[in-house]
Structures are given as structure tokens and as C-alpha cells.
Amino acid sequence: MKINKDFLVSFSKNVVKINRVVNIGLNAEQKVLLGKSVYFGQPGNNNFEDTVKDMKDFDTNSLISEEPFRENITNNLPEWDIIQAIMMDILSSKQATKLKKPDFRIIILEEVVVEDQQFRLHVIPIRRGSKVINKDWTWRLKGDVLQKIKNLGTSKAPLTVEFDIEPFINLDFEIVATFEVELQTNKQSTSIKSIIEYVFDVKGQQYAFKLHEVNRELALTTLSNFVNKPNEYTISSDQYRVNITNYQKLFQIIKDDVSIVNRLAKYQGDASYFDFKRISDANQKLDEADRIMIDESNKQIVVTQDCIGTFTALIHDLLLQRLITGDVELPLKNYHQ
């Protein structure tokens, strides 16, 4: 990969909207080192073309399965506005100036495929809490920098990245998504013709672009429906009700968990047709601490923070089938008290 330019991107607070894009201007030696260290989704996977050649197209299960996917981005999707804002700032060649509020969310590595026509924008999330510090016209991104997306915000080996006068970068970068952007130009202006997004890490992509925050409201609505519409939001053809004591408190516990939020946000009552035996069989295959609590006498499923991750997996047929067969191990994160 030949990195042409490097950018830091910040978002407006609590809104899926670009606030500013800053060119951080790494020198040529740093670009070479950085280009050798990047990988796509998994360590050791550093070839873009090989990574995407067999990638599946996005479908309704992509956010649930959390498997890599490709998607044609249209202008009715939030990613279109985000990439348009980034691309226009990149083309304007804005240079970094002293920052008053140096809070950034993602690093963009720009790769020019066809001069002035086609670009790849590789996205690396910045770990929450990291800040850029002004230092004599150079840049320094300091702290536990890279977002290790496997557990959103925590890193087994915290890393520090320095964009400074020393031409040295010693880390592994994980690219969570790449956008292939094709431009079209006329005498008056330049605009985006097409965008293809390749997502290597679903959780990472959701976090990086604040899409997770868009799904929060939908997830909260789903939880409230289980409580406030118990006759409509039942589980299985045997019509088991879902018992959640305090759904708002539970939501506060799980609202930063991308997997659980996505599963709740995408739930549309599908589990009302399940054979309850399938749910029971899958539940029994789990460790006792992670099982949902089934009240047979009252035909209820009791959902708490101890089993919320399990519950949100069991109500989606794709994940339920995997739990039954044991073909794929699912990362069922529960919040044991």
C-alpha cells in the first residue's frame, strides 16, 4: 500500500456528522513504515486485494453475524455524507493549524488509485481518551491510542503512536474499513460518483463512524416493547413472555456494547415463530452462568444483565442455529453482577 496523505477526523458531539478533517503531514519515511505495518481485520493480513476478493455483499444479517462484508454506499446512507465531507476536505488540502480542542475519532490513510479520480480511504479508529497535542508545528497523538476493536476501548497491550519529528512508528495498525471512492469532475466542481465500503471489523466500523449511537435508540425501543407490549413481543410459537425488571437500567449497562445494541436494534419480532425447543436446546449448551432463565410454569423468559448477551443471540435465527449446532463459537458477552 502506498500511503499518500494521513488525516485525523473529528465528529460533532453526539451526531453522525464530520466536524473537521486535519492533514497531519507525516514525512515520507514515516509513510513507508506505516504502510508496512497496516493490516486488514486480522494481524498478518496486509493485502487489500486479497482480503476483499471473496468478500460477501452486505445483507440484513451482516451486523448480526459480524462477518466482513462489502456494500455499495448510496446517498441515503450516513456513510455517504461522512465520506463526502472527508473527501472534500482532503481535496481542499487543508493544512493543520493549532487546535483548541484536539479530540479526534479516526485516522484516515489516503491511497490514490487513479490520480484525481479514484481513492481508497483506510479507516483506523483512535482509542477513546486519546488526544492530539500541539507541539512546535508537529503532531503527537498520545496515550492508549489504537482502538482494539475486539473489546471496544480496551487494549491488552496499550500502544502509543507519535506523529513527531522522529521518523519512527512502532506498532500494528488495524484498518477496520476501507472506502473506494470514485470522483467525477466537470468545469464547475468535483463530486462523488460512487463509494464502495469494505468492512473488515464490524464493531470497529460501527464505533468509528458513530453508527452504534444511531442504533441505540432502536435498541432501547426494542427493550421497551418487550416490557410494554408483552402480548405482541413474545418468544416462540408457544408465546413465552420476556420479563425485564428495569429495562432502562439494563440499557444503561449495555448501551456501549456494539453487538448487543445491534442485535436489539435489528430485532423485528422474528423469534415469535421459533420452536421454543430450539431455544431451550441452545440455552442448555451454554455455561450455566450464561444461560437465560426460563420460568416454565409462567411461560416467561427472565432477562437480566447476567444473560442479556445470550438473550439477544437466541432471538436471531442465524445465531440461534450456530449455538445449536456448535459450528461457530459466539462471543456472548454478559454482564455478571
Side-chain angles (χ1 to χ4, degrees):
M1 181 200 307
K2 184 179 182 300
I3 300 169
N4 298 88
K5 295 180 182 177
D6 318 271
F7 298 86
L8 298 177
V9 181
S10 67
F11 285 74
S12 299
K13 188 175 182 181
N14 300 324
V15 181
V16 186
K17 183 179 179 182
I18 291 296
N19 184 32
R20 67 190 321 183
V21 178
V22 177
N23 181 352
I24 55 178
L26 294 180
N27 63 37
E29 187 172 356
Q30 286 176 311
K31 285 187 174 69
V32 171
L33 290 169
L34 190 57
K36 290 180 179 178
S37 68
V38 296
Y39 57 89
F40 300 89
Q42 298 294 329
N45 186 6
N46 57 9
N47 185 287
F48 174 81
E49 286 79 8
D50 287 347
T51 303
V52 303
K53 64 181 180 181
D54 297 320
M55 188 172 277
K56 296 179 180 178
D57 289 333
F58 175 85
D59 64 27
T60 55
N61 282 320
S62 294
L63 298 186
I64 302 303
S65 68
E66 297 182 356
E67 294 179 352
F69 63 85
R70 69 183 296 280
E71 181 178 15
N72 290 317
I73 302 300
T74 54
N75 60 11
N76 63 328
L77 296 174
E79 292 98 320
W80 180 277
D81 291 336
I82 291 172
I83 296 304
Q84 179 170 259
I86 292 173
M87 199 71 239
M88 293 307 104
D89 271 3
I90 286 175
L91 292 175
S92 69
S93 299
K94 291 183 179 179
Q95 294 299 313
T97 58
K98 188 171 183 178
L99 301 180
K100 294 180 180 179
K101 294 182 179 180
D103 295 309
F104 291 89
R105 194 175 188 92
I106 59 176
I107 299 169
I108 293 284
L109 306 180
E110 177 208 79
E111 180 184 5
V112 178
V113 182
V114 179
E115 191 69 31
D116 298 328
Q117 290 296 318
Q118 190 174 1
F119 297 79
R120 288 184 189 141
L121 304 181
H122 304 288
V123 179
I124 300 172
I126 298 170
R127 186 173 175 179
R128 282 173 288 191
S130 302
K131 294 183 183 299
V132 175
I133 301 173
N134 295 292
K135 184 181 179 183
D136 299 327
W137 298 98
T138 58
W139 296 92
R140 190 179 179 189
L141 184 55
K142 184 179 181 180
D144 294 326
V145 176
L146 274 195
Q147 169 76 20
K148 286 299 182 181
I149 298 303
K150 304 303 178 187
N151 43 18
L152 276 180
T154 59
S155 174
K156 294 181 180 178
L159 300 171
T160 297
V161 186
E162 291 192 350
F163 297 104
D164 211 331
I165 57 175
E166 296 296 328
F168 178 77
I169 296 176
N170 182 21
L171 78 160
D172 283 326
F173 273 113
E174 180 176 356
I175 294 173
V176 299
T178 292
F179 293 85
E180 280 195 329
V181 183
E182 186 177 356
L183 302 180
Q184 55 189 3
T185 304
N186 56 38
K187 292 182 180 179
Q188 285 76 35
S189 64
T190 296
S191 60
I192 291 179
K193 181 179 180 180
S194 66
I195 303 174
I196 302 175
E197 181 182 18
Y198 301 89
V199 176
F200 311 110
D201 187 316
V202 172
K203 287 184 181 180
Q205 179 253 17
Q206 294 278 295
Y207 166 77
F209 291 102
K210 304 182 78 168
L211 302 177
H212 168 60
E213 296 174 22
V214 175
N215 285 328
R216 280 178 173 169
E217 186 174 343
L218 296 173
L220 179 59
T221 299
T222 300
L223 284 177
S224 70
N225 285 337
F226 279 120
V227 174
N228 298 321
K229 299 179 180 180
N231 294 325
E232 297 177 36
Y233 273 66
T234 57
I235 302 299
S236 98
S237 54
D238 293 324
Q239 295 187 321
Y240 274 70
R241 291 188 177 188
V242 177
N243 183 338
I244 303 174
T245 302
N246 188 332
Y247 75 87
Q248 291 179 327
K249 180 180 178 181
L250 180 60
F251 177 74
Q252 290 303 313
I253 294 171
I254 58 94
K255 64 184 178 67
D256 291 322
D257 189 311
V258 172
S259 294
I260 291 178
V261 165
N262 283 346
R263 292 171 193 169
L264 288 170
K266 301 303 177 186
Y267 181 71
Q268 297 180 336
D270 316 69
S272 60
Y273 301 101
F274 289 0
D275 178 353
F276 194 78
K277 186 177 184 302
R278 294 177 67 213
I279 294 176
S280 181
D281 288 347
N283 193 48
Q284 288 301 311
K285 291 191 174 185
L286 300 173
D287 292 338
E288 187 173 355
D290 288 325
R291 294 174 189 167
I292 58 171
M293 294 173 281
I294 300 174
D295 182 351
E296 297 281 3
S297 58
N298 294 307
K299 295 184 70 173
Q300 286 189 351
I301 296 173
V302 181
V303 177
T304 67
Q305 66 188 64
D306 289 324
C307 64
I308 181 62
T310 299
F311 172 71
T312 58
L314 290 173
I315 60 177
H316 286 284
D317 190 60
L318 175 68
L319 303 184
L320 174 61
Q321 186 61 35
R322 290 180 177 183
L323 286 170
I324 291 173
T325 60
D327 291 341
V328 178
E329 183 179 351
L330 294 176
L332 297 175
K333 184 175 181 181
N334 292 301
Y335 292 81
H336 298 296
Q337 301 182 48

